[in-house]
Amino acid sequence: MPHDGAPAIACRGLAKRYGEVVALDGLDLEVPAGSVFGFLGPNGAGKTTTLRILASLGRADAGEARVAGLAVGDGAPNRAGLIGYLDQDPRFYGWMTPRDLLRLVGRLHGMDESALRGRIDATLATVGLADAARRTIGGFSGGMRQRLGLAQAILNRPPVLLLDEPVSSLDPQGRHDMLQTIRSLGEQATVLFSTHILNDVERVCDRVAIIDHGRVVTASPMDELLARYATPTYVIETAPADDATLGSLADALRAVPGVTAVEVAHGTLRVTVDDEQAAARWLLAELASQDVTVVGFERQRPTLEDVFLRVVGHEGKGAAA
């Protein structure tokens, strides 16, 4: 691993084209050692291309990258056992069992046979496949293959993990368990993972980068990112009132200094502001002057979805694939 505060992953000016398609366009990225780092972006933004280059499974046309202090490009980081990689759709020999596969992976890493047996058992338990250790992989579901993919990535305990959509095929309980596992892996390794489920990133990541059109458009600790980009919003709930009354209230709130938008739905008003100090001064006063009963008034916590839509500018429900 790098020393003296050097990042675990560093990319400078990475470029990659597939014919006329620009996958990476001078991408710069730093992932601090010891972080659980979320890598987000729309479909086709360049996330998988980046991860494959970092894993030495693809080559950049220009630029440079270092992983765990070693230059990427000749496969050396993988041979040194410094990287664990999980593909977004892992495929394995169907006739093998999980034990067979992990034994093969361990031998490729040069692990001692006696130590390998215990490591296989512990790794299968970590990913929730202990009960399926002797089943053939050909009968596995997509979610089970993802668990096995994580198992082969972490078997030799590499200091850097690259995970491409690690929970996309899992059911809610499986996703919860896998996210907890990823979070715990952050205590032993640097984890860079992409996902299209923004709530998952909020739950387990301490840092995040958003990529679009082959470039990183923003990257920072999670709390800083939410504070910098998310628009302050208040949610106001009233006692039952007719549409005309709520409409009049919404019009009055739109005139409050600092308020930029008011949406009304099912007796709830969602008020967006760009000046919190002005809004805090006048919003409650305006509500008190209106002929409605307020039963709820809450400053809504910004979400990563809010940030993603604002930074990338794509409409829709935050699908960052």
Side-chain angles (χ1 to χ4, degrees), residues 233-251 253-254 261-271 295-296 300:
T233 302
Y234 294 88
V235 176
I236 302 167
E237 185 178 356
T238 68
D242 58 49
D243 291 343
T245 300
L246 290 177
S248 296
L249 175 59
D251 288 339
L253 295 181
R254 290 186 182 102
V262 180
E263 300 174 5
V264 184
H266 310 295
T268 298
L269 294 91
R270 182 181 171 94
V271 181
V295 297
Q300 189 174 64

Side-chain angles (χ1 to χ4, degrees), residues 94-267:
W95 51 267
M96 279 186 165
T97 67
R99 285 188 183 281
D100 294 332
L101 176 70
L102 295 187
R103 186 175 296 109
L104 172 62
V105 171
R107 287 174 175 170
L108 291 173
H109 282 298
M111 298 175 64
D112 177 75
E113 185 67 31
S114 60
L116 184 56
R117 285 193 292 271
R119 184 73 62 82
I120 288 173
D121 289 339
T123 302
L124 290 174
T126 295
V127 301
L129 286 178
D131 292 340
R134 300 185 183 282
R135 290 174 52 185
T136 55
I137 299 170
F140 278 18
S141 66
M144 293 175 74
R145 288 200 309 272
Q146 275 192 313
R147 290 174 182 270
L148 183 58
L150 181 61
Q152 61 81 30
I154 67 175
L155 180 68
N156 67 315
R157 298 177 182 170
V160 175
L161 290 171
L162 307 173
L163 311 179
D164 196 1
E165 302 282 359
V167 297
S168 60
S169 296
L170 298 174
D171 59 29
Q173 182 62 53
R175 192 168 74 245
H176 175 272
D177 294 343
M178 185 71 87
L179 289 172
Q180 292 300 108
T181 299
I182 291 171
R183 186 63 173 169
S184 66
L185 289 171
E187 299 173 3
Q188 310 159 17
T190 301
V191 182
L192 173 64
F193 82 96
S194 70
T195 179
H196 67 281
I197 305 172
L198 301 182
N199 288 340
D200 290 349
V201 175
E202 286 195 82
R203 287 168 60 183
V204 303
C205 293
D206 46 60
R207 291 175 177 264
V208 64
I210 299 177
I211 180 177
D212 192 26
H213 294 99
R215 289 176 173 262
V216 171
V217 292
T218 187
S220 71
M222 179 71 72
D223 291 344
E224 291 182 14
L225 187 71
L226 294 177
R228 187 188 319 143
Y229 285 101
T231 303
T233 302
Y234 294 88
V235 176
I236 302 167
E237 185 178 356
T238 68
D242 58 49
D243 291 343
T245 300
L246 290 177
S248 296
L249 175 59
D251 288 339
L253 295 181
R254 290 186 182 102
V256 170
V259 171
T260 58
V262 180
E263 300 174 5
V264 184
H266 310 295

Side-chain angles (χ1 to χ4, degrees), residues 4 47 111 113 252 297 312-313:
D4 301 325
K47 302 186 302 298
M111 298 175 64
E113 185 67 31
F297 182 90
V312 177

